[in-house]
Amino acid sequence: MNETIELMMKHRSVRKFKPDPVSEEQLAAIVSAGQMASSSSSVQAYTVIAVTESEQKAKLAELAGNQTYVNECPVFLVWCADLYRLSDAAKRHLPEKESYADTTENFMVATIDAALASQNAALAAESLGFGIVYIGGLRTRIEEVAELLGLPEGVYPVYGMCIGVADQETGIRPRLPLDAVLHHNCYNAEQSLKGVEHYDETTTAYMKERTHGERTTPWSELMAKRLTEPTRLQMKPFLEGKGFLKR
């Protein structure tokens, strides 16, 4: 392995941060690295909102489910899928043409663009010695988040990202075995499910050690519960109201 892969293999989520600041130069480098991620047809359909003001971070922490580390981290990035710029370009250059910004395909393009850029940025932040954690909880009260951040039509917050110097030591959570996710030439359903069996054994042992025996539920059982409980059903009407997923 090289240094880049070694860094990637050491990734862990950090939920406790020191008060050390992230400088403007460091923030610019992190987001610039994010911008170098691949983008479909170079549309670059995302925007990053850096939140550093304490009152605003506290409000976002509340909206994300009272996740205190959102308020404690020095910089909280909100990664947004953004078709606003593209829609404006269509209006200016081809006002006589119908816009298809509201299609499911363009929703996917914008969301994927934001995800690719944010992961580049996460790796850049970790290379500078910072820790990060993604905050999907922003979508729980997404309308209020969008209002707080002043998001126009065609823009929605995909998730947040805490960045700062870690003030905790956390273990590296094991991933699915490679055989479960790397298939050759075609999808191998049997191989995928066998990987889950092995992963259940791994995660049961991991959680038992991490929680001193208090939690031993295997991964597949946790996922079964997750998939059979309604979660954030407000997302579809919110996204439609923002001009997404209409076709």
Side-chain angles (χ1 to χ4, degrees):
M1 292 194 298
N2 58 36
E3 290 183 7
T4 301
I5 295 175
E6 287 179 358
L7 176 64
M8 296 170 78
M9 297 301 288
K10 292 177 182 176
H11 169 72
R12 58 200 174 98
S13 292
V14 174
R15 294 180 174 84
K16 188 175 182 181
F17 298 92
K18 295 180 180 179
D20 307 49
V22 176
S23 71
E24 283 297 321
E25 291 77 15
Q26 289 169 324
L27 177 61
I30 290 167
V31 176
S32 294
Q35 286 186 274
M36 294 309 295
S38 297
S39 171
S40 178
S41 301
S42 194
V43 297
Q44 304 169 78
Y46 59 89
T47 290
V48 191
I49 300 175
V51 181
T52 55
E53 198 278 319
S54 57
E55 185 176 335
Q56 193 172 19
K57 282 195 296 175
K59 183 60 178 178
L60 287 170
E62 175 193 340
L63 294 176
N66 296 313
Q67 299 188 59
T68 56
Y69 29 92
V70 172
N71 191 32
E72 293 169 356
C73 69
V75 176
F76 184 63
L77 301 184
V78 181
W79 293 88
C80 302
D82 185 353
L83 294 175
Y84 178 77
R85 285 189 297 266
L86 302 181
S87 295
D88 179 72
K91 290 176 184 177
R92 286 188 294 109
H93 293 288
L94 295 169
E96 73 284 1
K97 295 279 189 176
E98 179 182 6
S99 170
Y100 289 90
D102 60 2
T103 65
T104 299
E105 168 64 9
N106 280 322
F107 166 78
M108 292 179 66
V109 164
T111 303
I112 292 167
D113 266 13
L116 294 173
S118 67
Q119 189 56 30
N120 251 29
L123 183 59
E126 290 175 336
S127 77
L128 293 173
F130 296 113
I132 70 103
V133 65
Y134 284 96
I135 306 296
L138 280 188
R139 299 191 300 274
T140 300
R141 295 169 65 180
I142 193 167
E143 289 190 18
E144 293 168 84
V145 170
E147 183 177 356
L148 178 67
L149 298 175
L151 303 185
E153 182 172 340
V155 182
Y156 88 93
V158 183
Y159 39 62
M161 179 192 289
C162 298
I163 299 180
V165 177
D167 193 22
Q168 63 179 177
E169 288 295 330
T170 58
I172 299 174
R173 187 183 291 269
R175 291 329 199 228
L176 281 160
L178 186 62
D179 285 349
V181 298
L182 177 60
H183 301 185
H184 292 279
N185 301 313
C186 65
Y187 192 95
N188 189 323
E190 182 181 359
Q191 179 178 312
S192 185
L193 297 184
K194 281 184 177 178
V196 172
E197 291 179 14
H198 295 150
Y199 191 51
D200 276 348
E201 296 174 3
T202 301
T203 53
T204 297
Y206 169 78
M207 291 307 299
K208 183 177 181 179
E209 180 180 357
R210 179 177 173 179
T211 64
H212 305 290
E214 292 183 11
R215 292 169 56 190
T216 59
T217 308
W219 177 82
S220 63
E221 187 175 333
L222 292 172
M223 294 304 103
K225 184 180 181 190
R226 180 181 179 86
L227 206 62
T228 54
E229 292 182 350
T231 303
R232 298 173 186 153
L233 298 182
Q234 75 279 16
M235 283 298 303
K236 189 171 188 292
F238 169 80
L239 289 169
E240 290 174 339
K242 278 292 185 181
F244 294 98
L245 296 170
K246 291 186 176 180
R247 284 183 276 186

